[in-house]
Amino acid sequence: MDEVAPLVVDDVTLRFGGITALDAVKFTVEAGSIHALIGPNGAGKSSCFNVISGLYRPTSGTVRLGETELTALRPHRLAGLGVGRSFQNIALSPGSTARDNVMLGRHHLTRGGFLACGLRLTARAERRHMARVEEICAFLGIADRLDAPVGALPYGIAKRVDIARALACEPTLLLLDEPAAGLDATETAEMAVTITDLRAALGISVLLVEHDMGLVMGIADRVSVLDFGKLIADGLPAEVQADPAVVAAYLGTAGEEGE
């Protein structure tokens, strides 16, 4: 695995026509930390996540992973730079097996390996990649579901397959978009343990967008809070939770559903 580097979001502004979705947002995800990005409905969390993962190009500002600027790169380039992402609305092929879906996460690794080694080594390389897929899935507790079509899996298991696919690119930075969304209390508690175990075992950085405050405050090293596209707080979980601006932002929100 490559060296784990900090992720720096530096004065990122994002406008859609006359609407400012993000307004000079800046925060740093320290190397090897679990960092949560939270905020009320419509705060700009998903927009920020999409800028970081290359789906949106900011109007101004930069995103850097170590010395590498990510701002102008297309999403498919990020996997090769050590960025893996899971999705709130599970981005898997429902008709394919869990194994095949996770294997797709290794696309940039397998293709490079095959071209470098030549076709005569393809079978051996494929076995190596498959073994790594099985290892990742075993760590996530889904090894017994590898040959099941994703569309037939319980929702909580499918969420883990999506995370496995993100891990398959061997990231140093894992972006988790609403990892507890749609999970019951038991599954949410298990997801919290999984995230902390991943960080401990792999030494990677984790940035998550999440609505479940119990999960966030229980596992995050640092929390950044957005409201109407502006960063209103950034600090330790206990500090953020007690911040009057954060309390006001949440009390003034009708619901937690959405972005």
Side-chain angles (χ1 to χ4, degrees):
M1 179 180 290
D2 295 331
E3 181 179 352
V4 179
L7 174 78
V8 180
V9 177
D10 190 7
D11 277 331
V12 166
T13 294
L14 177 68
R15 295 190 181 94
F16 298 106
I19 299 173
T20 300
L22 297 171
D23 188 357
V25 172
K26 59 163 50 182
F27 61 87
T28 298
V29 178
E30 298 294 346
S33 70
I34 297 176
H35 195 116
L37 182 63
I38 68 172
N41 181 39
K45 303 183 299 297
S46 293
S47 293
C48 189
F49 224 54
N50 286 335
V51 168
I52 293 168
S53 59
L55 292 175
Y56 294 163
R57 184 170 295 190
T59 306
S60 62
T62 61
V63 178
R64 300 188 308 277
L65 184 62
E67 298 300 316
T68 304
E69 184 171 342
L70 307 182
T71 316
L73 299 179
R74 295 187 180 277
H76 71 272
R77 293 280 310 280
L78 297 188
L81 295 172
V83 181
R85 177 180 179 174
S86 74
F87 291 82
Q88 178 182 356
N89 300 314
I90 302 170
L92 299 171
S93 174
S96 299
T97 64
R99 185 192 307 272
D100 288 344
N101 272 279
V102 178
M103 189 67 177
L104 283 174
R106 297 189 72 76
H107 175 68
H108 75 285
L109 298 169
T110 57
R111 186 172 60 177
F114 293 167
L115 292 175
C117 297
L119 293 177
R120 64 190 179 86
L121 296 181
T122 294
R124 186 170 69 183
E126 184 174 5
R127 286 194 298 272
R128 176 168 56 84
H129 287 295
M130 282 295 185
R132 180 58 176 155
V133 164
E134 291 171 3
E135 184 179 14
I136 291 169
C137 289
F139 187 92
L140 291 171
I142 54 174
D144 60 336
R145 308 297 185 104
L146 277 168
D147 296 313
V150 166
L153 294 175
Y155 183 77
I157 299 298
K159 292 278 282 190
R160 287 176 173 266
V161 174
D162 193 38
I163 293 173
R165 181 198 50 77
L167 287 170
C169 76
E170 306 292 349
T172 60
L173 171 66
L174 179 63
L175 306 176
L176 297 178
D177 192 355
E178 303 265 8
L183 303 184
D184 62 27
T186 299
E187 291 171 327
T188 297
E190 291 171 348
M191 182 62 72
V193 172
T194 294
I195 294 169
T196 55
D197 284 352
L198 283 172
R199 190 266 298 270
L202 301 177
I204 60 176
S205 308
V206 179
L207 174 63
L208 68 149
V209 167
E210 183 52 63
H211 277 108
D212 190 301
M213 288 301 101
L215 183 149
V216 167
M217 296 303 168
I219 69 172
D221 298 306
R222 196 169 184 89
V223 180
S224 299
V225 189
L226 294 177
D227 190 30
F228 293 108
K230 293 179 178 289
L231 186 73
I232 62 169
D234 181 59
L236 301 176
E239 296 170 346
V240 167
Q241 202 167 20
D243 190 307
V246 175
V247 174
Y250 273 94
L251 288 178
T253 301
E256 289 288 315
E257 191 174 277
E259 188 174 43

